[in-house]
Amino acid sequence: MLTQQTVLLVGGTGRTGRRVLQQLLDRGVSVRAIVRSGGKLPPDAAGNSNLTVIEASLLSLRDEELQQHLRGCDAVISCLGHVLSLKGVFGPPRDLVTRATMRLCRGVEALQPPAPVKFILMSSVSVNHTGGLDTRRGSFERALLWMLCGVLPPAKDNQRAADFLLEKIGPRDAFVQWAMVRPDSLLEGEVSEYALHEGLVNSLFAPGSTNMANVAHFMCELVMSPKAWADWQGKLPVITNAEASGPLTVSRSEP
Ligand SMILES: NC(=O)c1ccc[n+]([C@@H]2O[C@H](COP(=O)([O-])OP(=O)(O)OC[C@H]3O[C@@H](n4cnc5c(N)ncnc54)[C@H](OP(=O)(O)O)[C@@H]3O)[C@@H](O)[C@H]2O)c1
């Protein structure tokens, strides 16, 4: 019998994060959510006895405080993103996702857990897996991405967070294992069939789409299903709604 899983969730008040939170609770997972404002949590989730809300500014927590929240967790999920406003995109912290990823991973390592903790990062198809399985982008697309990373702090931030996991944590860390989930353009909508791909399938000029509910469903699978984790840990799966072409895996909609 599986023991109850415990997940530390950051970004749980966001569009995708709140869906992750709800689906984890629906599956009986115990969730610790670090949020800036508890009032932004979905009312259904807020009263759930499996939810512990920690109201704090994530990047301002001291190392010991963060480690206290990480202690005993089986997985950490980050759905952090820059608020889509002038201040959110161009103001501090420009390295929100990178800094949170680094602090959370280093916090886990400091605890030296007996079994590796899963770190599941919401990333983006704008993130390149250099040397990986991504199909080669055309030179114009690569130039555009390079420019976007220079001009738009969130694009650079997502790439740096990915580079940290790929290069600094790597595939054989004793305490942290990771997977980076790369959705295409995010849509509202229910959980539906979706496809998982080892590398990029759409260009920036002809994007695909991904229901946020499907991202949440897949993240829950990564937490709960040993097979899903074995298939995707150490990888950057691209997730698209199933009507997109060329699926490697199609998951049924069982929230
Ligand atoms: N939009 C797309 O089409 C798309 C596609 C693929 C990937 N992505 C990526 O997916 C991620 C999540 O996207 P989303 O649209 O679900 O996010 P979102 O709705 O913008 O939510 C962002 C979350 O991050 C938190 N946050 C923002 N600034 C923070 C700070 N300084 N300190 C602590 N928490 C902070 C927010 O908290 P508050 O509620 O307190 O503000 C919220 O919980 C982003 O990294 C984005 O780049 C987006």
Side-chain angles (χ1 to χ4, degrees):
M1 197 184 74
L2 271 180
T3 51
Q4 189 183 31
Q5 302 270 308
T6 300
V7 172
L8 181 75
L9 173 66
V10 295
T13 52
R15 296 187 310 151
T16 313
R18 56 177 43 222
R19 290 168 164 89
V20 173
L21 173 62
Q22 193 59 60
Q23 290 190 32
L24 286 171
L25 293 173
D26 289 347
R27 291 175 185 232
V29 174
S30 171
V31 182
R32 299 174 192 169
I34 302 179
V35 297
R36 294 195 285 190
S37 163
K40 290 182 78 176
L41 287 166
D44 281 358
N48 192 301
S49 58
N50 276 336
L51 174 65
T52 304
V53 179
I54 300 132
E55 253 184 346
S57 167
L58 175 66
L59 297 181
S60 307
L61 285 172
R62 287 182 293 115
D63 287 348
E64 310 80 68
E65 291 173 312
L66 195 56
Q67 284 167 32
Q68 183 193 327
H69 301 312
L70 285 164
R71 191 181 299 278
C73 285
D74 303 286
V76 178
I77 299 181
S78 169
C79 291
L80 289 171
H82 297 254
V83 174
L84 290 181
S85 64
L86 213 54
K87 188 168 163 236
V89 170
F90 292 103
R94 290 180 164 208
D95 54 357
L96 167 71
V97 181
T98 308
R99 209 147 29 112
T101 299
M102 292 168 74
R103 291 203 63 203
L104 288 162
C105 288
R106 295 304 186 210
V108 170
E109 288 178 327
L111 290 170
Q112 304 194 346
V117 171
K118 299 173 179 178
F119 186 85
I120 301 166
L121 177 67
M122 179 151 177
S123 184
S124 163
V125 288
S126 70
V127 165
N128 268 319
H129 183 187
T130 31
L133 289 162
D134 287 350
T135 48
R136 286 177 70 84
R137 295 185 194 269
S139 50
F140 183 61
E141 204 177 338
R142 283 204 310 274
L144 180 69
L145 263 180
W146 180 78
M147 196 190 74
L148 283 178
C149 274
V151 176
L152 287 179
K156 186 176 183 181
D157 189 18
N158 280 336
Q159 185 66 52
R160 284 187 60 213
D163 291 345
F164 170 77
L165 289 175
L166 283 162
E167 293 162 17
K168 302 290 184 217
I169 299 296
R172 277 175 289 279
D173 192 278
F175 304 116
V176 181
Q177 294 180 344
W178 53 264
M180 293 183 244
V181 177
R182 293 186 294 172
D184 221 311
S185 301
L186 295 174
L187 294 183
E188 302 287 328
E190 300 300 313
V191 178
S192 61
E193 289 198 354
Y194 56 85
L196 300 169
H197 314 266
E198 296 255 4
L200 297 170
V201 282
N202 298 301
S203 89
L204 288 182
F205 307 113
S209 54
T210 314
N211 286 5
M212 287 177 275
N214 289 339
V215 178
H217 185 275
F218 179 45
M219 287 182 161
C220 290
E221 286 294 298
L222 289 172
V223 171
M224 309 280 294
S225 157
K227 176 165 183 343
W229 189 251
D231 286 348
W232 296 108
Q233 70 111 340
K235 296 182 181 172
L236 294 83
V238 171
I239 173 170
T240 56
N241 288 344
E243 55 272 20
S245 60
L248 285 182
T249 311
V250 179
S251 296
R252 273 298 306 160
S253 52
E254 293 295 331

